């Protein structure tokens, strides 16, 4: 689990570099799966907080899907894909 100015993000798994609150809105079953399985307490706490946040009322996520670490660790192709997605959102 990583943390930056936007929030907590996954540093592992299929949602690596994605923000936990973004996952709470887009794929809450993933967080439920983590809560039911063998993960560190710090990961479970971040997931539980995000689930409670998402369930507390209508929410939208105005931040990016992925942390800045995604760009630092991505291959050239992944960087192009990420940039294309952001460009498409701006158009």
């Amino acid at each position: 689990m990583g943390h930056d100015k936007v929030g907590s993000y996954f540093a592992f798994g299929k949602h690596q570099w994605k923000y936990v609150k973004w996952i709470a809105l887009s794929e809450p079953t993933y967080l439920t799966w983590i809560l039911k399985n063998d993960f560190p307490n710090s990961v479970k706490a971040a997931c539980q907080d995000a689930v409670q946040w998402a369930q507390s009322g209508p929410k939208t996520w105005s931040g990016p899907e992925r942390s800045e670490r995604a760009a630092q660790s991505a291959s050239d192709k992944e960087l192009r894909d990420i940039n294309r997605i952001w460009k498409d959102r701006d158009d």
Side-chain angles (χ1 to χ4, degrees):
M1 188 69 57
H3 309 279
D4 64 16
K5 62 185 175 194
V6 177
S8 297
Y9 58 85
F10 289 104
F12 61 88
K14 75 176 193 174
H15 291 300
Q16 186 174 24
W17 313 125
K18 292 181 183 177
Y19 288 102
V20 179
K21 285 185 177 180
W22 189 87
I23 299 300
L25 295 175
S26 64
E27 193 179 343
T29 56
Y30 184 72
L31 300 185
T32 303
W33 175 79
I34 286 176
L35 292 170
K36 291 180 180 179
N37 286 283
D38 187 25
F39 286 91
N41 288 336
S42 60
V43 172
K44 287 185 172 188
C47 292
Q48 185 63 45
D49 288 347
V51 167
Q52 290 174 343
W53 170 82
Q55 291 175 344
S56 67
K59 299 278 188 257
T60 59
W61 177 251
S62 59
E65 172 187 345
R66 295 173 178 259
S67 74
E68 292 176 4
R69 288 287 306 267
Q72 294 170 358
S73 67
S75 69
D76 288 344
K77 181 187 179 309
E78 289 171 322
L79 283 174
R80 286 193 303 273
D81 290 345
I82 291 169
N83 288 333
R84 179 185 48 77
I85 290 166
W86 281 105
K87 183 181 180 300
D88 291 346
R89 288 182 179 181
D90 291 339
D91 290 342

